[in-house]
Amino acid sequence: MTTFQCFVSNNVICCFNLLNKIDMPRTKIAGVGYYVPKNVITNNDLLKYMDTSDEWIQERSGIKERRYADRTAETTTTMGVEAATIAIERAGITAQDVDFIIFATLSPDYYFPGCGVLLQRAMKMKEIGALDIRNQCSGFVYALSIADQFIKTGMYKNILIVGSEKHSFGLDFSTRGRNISVIFGDGAGAVVVQPTEKDGQGILSTHLHSDGESAEILAMYNPGTHANHWVKEPVADFEEAEIGKMFMSNEMIEKAQNFPNMDGPSVFKKAVVKFPEVVMEALTKNGLVPDDISLLIPHQANLRISQFVQQKLALRDDQVFNNIDKYGNTTAASIPIALCEAWELGKIKEGDLICLAAFGSGFTWGSALLRW
Ligand SMILES: CC(C)(COP(=O)(O)OP(=O)(O)OC[C@H]1O[C@@H](n2cnc3c(N)ncnc32)[C@H](O)[C@@H]1OP(=O)(O)O)[C@@H](O)C(=O)NCCC(=O)NCCS
């Protein structure tokens, strides 16, 4: 049936569903890469800056160490370039073959422009589209879902997705900020996605969600244009501030309002509900059950959250991949780093059913189910 006939028959939805099944290629992950800085920071190393302990951090989060980028030689973009270089090579293409970039980060090199264009320049790519997305810990799953749509419609053939973070530049390392600063680490992960005609291979479905009701529970307000509009307690005096000193002021810095804030227990409670829910959504959509999962790669938020999800879904240890003990929470980079590391360890093989799931600031959460 042609598209024209479909319109004539006034059966448009049915026709598009049919075309979807017949004509659209699926999206496969063709290459993976990751990069973490050499500088290892153990829990004990953090004692120089704040009142904490190795025992507290390991017990609450499962983190033993994390990596911090070189202060001046490495940026969110340069780490992304390192990861992308490996992913591109493994996909069997060159940087010049990439036809679209999606860069996910909450710690960009510049407030604007985004890291996508800096990567395009650094890798001497063609004048292709570069999209930066800001979905924090769900950034990679959101990016993969966006890329999937472009591949399925035939618009692009080689999309580079990068998740990268340089958290070590923007955290409060005093005791005041210890509930957040001990959790996060630096690093980057990247994948190249391409169309596949191979039967059954590729992304089966992606599922994206948000609930802005809790936007301030895990957030960084300044610099920003909010002018106390949303926050319950004013964070600066925008009424009296001199014009030109509203976006970022000495007052904000003095009061440590240029750092992220988090109500950890509230994040935890919501995460342990939404993670299993969005995994089940993906499985149900495809007529599958938790036992069918070869490997679940959850965003590495906290080992306790991953263990809770594993228990709720009754997954075996070999069905869940965790590496938060080595890298901490690397936000948009955590899933591609884990995916790549799992692949390098031989834990992902052709035909495996891989589930990626994320939850984070926003709140936003999502999942992707794919056949490798
Ligand atoms: C952050 C998190 C580890 C904190 O654990 P928690 O058991 O909830 O701890 P709380 O925030 O309730 O604080 C408990 C106590 O530990 C203290 N504490 C917080 N951070 C500490 C640290 N790094 N070292 C030592 N003590 C610390 C607090 O000050 C508090 O002390 P008090 O009882 O004397 O007031 C936990 O809430 C969590 O993992 N939440 C999810 C966070 C997350 O995943 N964020 C990323 C989302 S993608």
Side-chain angles (χ1 to χ4, degrees):
M1 200 194 297
T2 64
T3 310
F4 176 70
Q5 281 171 317
C6 287
F7 279 114
V8 170
S9 68
N10 207 14
N11 201 357
V12 180
I13 294 169
C14 168
C15 168
F16 278 120
N17 283 342
L18 195 66
L19 283 173
N20 198 10
K21 285 197 172 74
I22 295 171
D23 292 329
M24 287 192 176
R26 277 217 178 122
T27 308
K28 70 168 178 184
I29 294 182
V32 291
Y34 81 99
Y35 174 81
V36 287
K38 285 175 191 58
N39 191 13
V40 176
I41 304 290
T42 65
N43 292 340
N44 282 330
D45 289 334
L46 295 173
L47 298 178
K48 314 196 255 281
Y49 313 113
M50 64 189 81
D51 179 13
T52 187
S53 69
D54 178 44
E55 192 191 3
W56 192 97
I57 299 170
Q58 284 209 47
E59 192 188 302
R60 309 288 174 120
S61 69
I63 299 166
K64 293 180 180 156
E65 58 190 43
R66 74 285 293 140
R67 306 292 179 98
Y68 284 172
D70 183 277
R71 212 177 259 228
T72 52
E74 291 176 318
T75 75
T76 294
T77 302
T78 69
M79 291 189 286
V81 168
E82 298 286 345
T85 303
I86 300 166
I88 287 170
E89 196 198 325
R90 286 180 175 160
I93 59 168
T94 69
Q96 285 66 45
D97 298 319
V98 172
D99 43 24
F100 195 63
I101 302 162
I102 308 180
F103 203 118
T105 186
L106 66 64
S107 49
D109 294 23
Y110 298 141
Y111 194 84
F112 72 86
C115 292
V117 297
L118 304 183
L119 179 136
Q120 181 269 347
R121 176 176 68 186
M123 299 194 77
K124 300 184 172 48
M125 289 170 167
K126 290 184 295 198
E127 292 178 349
I128 54 174
L131 173 69
D132 275 60
I133 63 167
R134 302 186 58 177
N135 287 79
Q136 295 68 250
C137 298
S138 311
F140 182 78
V141 172
Y142 266 73
L144 191 64
S145 182
I146 294 165
D148 186 33
Q149 313 315 311
F150 281 129
I151 294 286
K152 282 195 297 204
T153 56
M155 184 148 172
Y156 297 121
K157 296 269 180 279
N158 292 298
I159 301 180
L160 172 68
I161 305 171
V162 178
S164 182
E165 305 288 357
K166 187 178 175 182
H167 283 306
S168 57
F169 239 54
L171 297 172
D172 181 355
F173 282 95
S174 71
T175 297
R176 181 184 47 212
R178 65 183 175 174
N179 67 321
I180 299 184
S181 49
V182 300
I183 293 178
F184 292 98
D186 299 345
V191 303
V192 171
V193 295
Q194 294 173 344
T196 175
E197 301 289 346
K198 203 166 173 180
D199 206 22
Q201 189 190 36
I203 295 176
L204 306 181
S205 62
T206 58
H207 307 268
L208 307 179
H209 296 281
S210 71
D211 176 6
E213 199 56 50
S214 308
E216 286 76 22
I217 280 181
L218 174 49
M220 182 168 145
Y221 305 140
N222 301 317
T225 59
H226 62 90
N228 292 331
H229 193 78
W230 309 106
V231 295
K232 286 198 188 89
E233 286 171 28
V235 298
D237 188 351
F238 294 98
E239 296 279 356
E240 296 299 321
E242 263 178 66
I243 186 104
K245 291 199 175 158
M246 287 180 279
F247 195 57
M248 180 53 87
S249 64
N250 288 340
E251 185 197 1
M252 289 173 196
I253 294 169
E254 277 154 21
K255 293 183 177 167
Q257 291 169 346
N258 55 322
F259 295 120
N261 59 275
M262 173 176 78
D263 171 356
S266 297
V267 175
F268 197 102
K269 278 186 210 139
K270 190 89 171 180
V272 294
V273 172
K274 292 300 172 189
F275 260 112
E277 200 175 279
V278 81
V279 170
M280 282 311 299
E281 184 183 354
L283 291 170
T284 307
K285 162 92 181 167
N286 294 283
L288 297 163
V289 294
D291 198 40
D292 293 317
I293 295 177
S294 310
L295 200 62
L296 170 67
I297 302 183
H299 159 57
Q300 303 292 291
N302 179 322
L303 186 63
R304 305 292 159 246
I305 294 176
S306 295
Q307 287 169 335
F308 199 94
V309 175
Q310 176 178 345
Q311 201 184 15
K312 193 102 185 263
L313 296 170
L315 297 172
R316 301 180 308 274
D317 284 352
D318 64 287
Q319 285 179 287
V320 185
F321 188 78
N322 288 305
N323 61 4
I324 193 168
D325 58 321
K326 292 189 292 183
Y327 306 127
N329 179 338
T330 55
T331 310
S334 98
I335 291 182
I337 290 175
L339 179 71
C340 183
E341 199 169 74
W343 180 82
E344 287 179 3
L345 290 168
K347 290 179 186 283
I348 299 178
K349 291 182 274 317
E350 200 173 323
D352 280 355
L353 185 71
I354 308 299
C355 186
L356 312 177
F359 176 88
S361 159
F363 291 131
T364 62
W365 62 100
S367 62
L369 197 62
L370 52 120
R371 183 77 63 187
W372 200 262

